[in-house]
């Protein structure tokens, strides 16, 4: 395939300071013969100034409109929001986090504009790992506990508890639903802060793994509704860390369970960008991160890693760059055909929805990518 023009716009979601490509990534794309357009200030939130992009070979342009007008392939961190829809051209290509199962409006838009899109979060290697989601899950899991600890403080509306307590007082009880990457990282930080930690997971092999790494410091629980209800009622913090790749998160914690928690307790829903796994959750922003429902403080920020933009950008772009080069070299469709991992991430292709979990979530027609007309 001929060289592409790759566009890197500035993220405009609330307090989203990550950037999709750092300057050394630009240099790599230029080395492969591609031209890169970067919106001025796109890297400022991650402390990458325009001068570094220019030195790496990018063309720094003044507006997002110039990026979208000139680029064949748009590379972002977060999913497009309605304020950006008008900038896309019919048939443009997109590589970013999408979370389509929780966003019917965006799904419809991508299909109407015939955008070819690969979603970071569903790129999957043969060993079933999610290489482009994992670094942000690690960040989100760690930050979730920091957010919970802050939300427990009296000025934040919490119960006025120190997560780890002090000698002579009890530590807070933290229940984590889901023992995957983000749940495991949350458990590590909660243990480090001396909380009492319990982790729910349905996979016996995962529980065995967690038993090995935590050496008895975590209560590992196979869930059922009654057991989960009892643990949640006894929790000071509940962290929802459930992931069904590409699909909408199941609602595992009911409103009644949340209402059973002590006033001033805290809920953190890491799964909120996939619709949330807690019935009382709704998306919040870094500008207004919490609300109180059923007497419980809820932290449901949909882009948690954006709070540590430089760390997150470094972690994310290190993971995405090899795939981005392949996408730029071959195009979205060609890269998905050539690389099985990228084929798992293929979401929309020439006006067709080619991901079954999203089709199921919205009750929409699904088309196998191999059957999409050229």
């Amino acid at each position: 395939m001929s060289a592409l023009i790759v566009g890197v716009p500035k993220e405009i979601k609330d307090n989203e300071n990550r950037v999709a490509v750092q300057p050394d990534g630009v240099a790599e794309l230029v080395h492969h013969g591609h031209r890169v357009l970067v919106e001025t200030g796109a890297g400022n939130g991650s402390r990458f100034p325009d001068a570094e992009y220019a030195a790496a070979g990018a063309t720094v342009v003044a507006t997002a409109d110039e990026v979208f007008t000139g680029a064949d392939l748009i590379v972002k961190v977060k999913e497009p929001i309605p304020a950006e829809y008008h900038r896309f051209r019919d048939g443009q290509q997109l590589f970013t986090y999408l979370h389509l199962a929780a966003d019917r409006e965006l799904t419809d838009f991508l299909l109407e504009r015939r955008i070819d899109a690969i979603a970071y979060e569903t790129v999957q290697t043969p060993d079933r790992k999610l290489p482009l989601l994992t670094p942000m899950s690690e960040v989100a899991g760690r930050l979730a506990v920091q957010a919970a600890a802050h939300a427990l403080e009296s000025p934040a509306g919490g119960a006025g508890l120190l997560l780890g307590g002090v000698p002579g007082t009890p530590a807070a009880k933290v229940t984590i639903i889901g023992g995957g990457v983000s749940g495991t990282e949350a458990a590590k930080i909660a243990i480090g802060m001396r909380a009492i930690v319990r982790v729910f997971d349905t996979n016996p092999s995962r529980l065995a793994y967690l038993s090995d790494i935590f050496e008895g410091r975590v209560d590992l629980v196979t869930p059922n509704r009654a057991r989960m209800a009892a643990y949640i009622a006894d929790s000071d913090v509940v962290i929802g860390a459930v992931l069904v790749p590409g699909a909408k998160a199941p609602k595992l914690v009911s409103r009644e369970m949340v209402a059973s928690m002590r006033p001033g307790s805290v809920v953190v829903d890491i799964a909120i960008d996939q619709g949330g796994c807690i019935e009382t959750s709704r998306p919040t922003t870094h500008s207004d991160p919490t609300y109180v429902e059923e007497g419980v403080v809820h932290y449901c920020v949909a882009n948690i890693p954006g709070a540590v933009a430089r760390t997150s950008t470094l972690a994310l772009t290190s993971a995405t760059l090899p795939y981005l080069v392949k996408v730029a070299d071959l195009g979205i469709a060609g890269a998905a055909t050539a690389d099985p991992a990228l084929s798992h991430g293929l979401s929309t292709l020439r006006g067709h929805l080619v991901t079954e979990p999203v089709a199921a979530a919205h009750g929409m027609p699904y088309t196998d990518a191999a059957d999409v007309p050229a």
Side-chain angles (χ1 to χ4, degrees), residues 27-319:
E28 189 69 20
L29 288 165
V30 170
H31 174 73
H32 281 255
H34 306 292
R35 185 180 174 211
V36 184
L37 304 179
V38 177
E39 182 183 353
T40 185
N44 285 354
S46 298
R47 303 297 186 261
F48 293 115
D50 290 347
E52 289 189 22
Y53 284 101
T59 301
V60 179
V61 298
T63 66
D65 287 335
E66 291 175 80
V67 172
F68 280 83
T69 298
D72 306 299
L73 169 67
I74 298 296
V75 188
K76 293 176 81 309
V77 176
K78 289 303 291 178
E79 70 283 351
I81 61 175
E84 296 173 294
Y85 288 179
H86 71 280
R87 296 193 169 112
F88 281 89
R89 300 194 316 272
D90 285 357
Q92 212 159 24
Q93 300 180 73
L94 176 64
F95 191 39
T96 187
Y97 287 116
L98 285 174
H99 303 294
L100 293 181
D103 195 337
R104 174 62 184 261
E105 183 182 7
L106 177 58
T107 304
D108 288 338
F109 167 75
L110 295 177
L111 295 174
E112 289 165 7
R113 287 287 172 92
R114 297 176 63 85
I115 304 295
D116 293 350
I118 289 177
Y120 289 168
E121 72 273 10
T122 51
V123 172
Q124 186 172 356
T125 54
D127 60 1
R128 300 181 64 80
K129 292 183 178 177
L130 304 168
L132 307 189
L133 183 61
T134 293
M136 295 302 91
S137 295
E138 291 171 340
V139 172
R142 295 183 179 202
L143 281 176
V145 180
Q146 293 182 199
H150 176 67
L152 274 178
E153 295 171 7
S154 300
L161 295 176
L162 182 63
L163 200 66
V166 293
T169 69
K173 294 177 180 177
V174 177
T175 297
I176 300 168
I177 302 170
V181 174
S182 58
T184 300
E185 294 303 315
K188 290 176 183 177
I189 300 304
I191 290 168
M193 297 177 77
R194 301 191 174 187
I196 299 166
V197 182
R198 302 86 71 88
V199 177
F200 280 91
D201 201 277
T202 58
N203 185 337
S205 297
R206 188 65 185 180
L207 292 177
Y209 166 77
L210 295 176
S211 179
D212 284 343
I213 66 169
F214 289 125
E215 299 179 327
R217 292 174 294 168
V218 174
D219 188 4
L220 300 168
V221 187
T222 301
N224 58 48
R225 275 192 79 77
R227 190 174 294 160
M228 186 177 292
Y231 271 81
I232 287 173
D234 189 42
S235 296
D236 301 295
V237 173
V238 172
I239 297 176
V242 176
L243 174 69
V244 181
K248 196 167 185 178
K251 301 290 186 187
L252 298 181
V253 179
S254 68
R255 176 175 291 275
E256 290 73 22
M257 292 179 191
V258 173
S260 74
M261 297 174 70
R262 290 180 287 273
S265 299
V266 173
V267 159
V268 178
D269 197 340
I270 299 174
I272 195 64
D273 52 9
Q274 285 291 94
C277 62
I278 297 166
E279 187 179 358
T280 49
S281 295
R282 61 178 186 267
T284 62
T285 65
H286 288 293
S287 294
D288 188 14
T290 63
Y291 61 91
V292 177
E293 188 90 14
E294 302 290 354
V296 174
V297 181
H298 288 60
Y299 178 96
C300 305
V301 174
N303 58 325
I304 293 175
V308 287
R310 187 170 176 89
T311 293
S312 295
T313 290
L314 290 168
L316 177 62
T317 59
S318 295

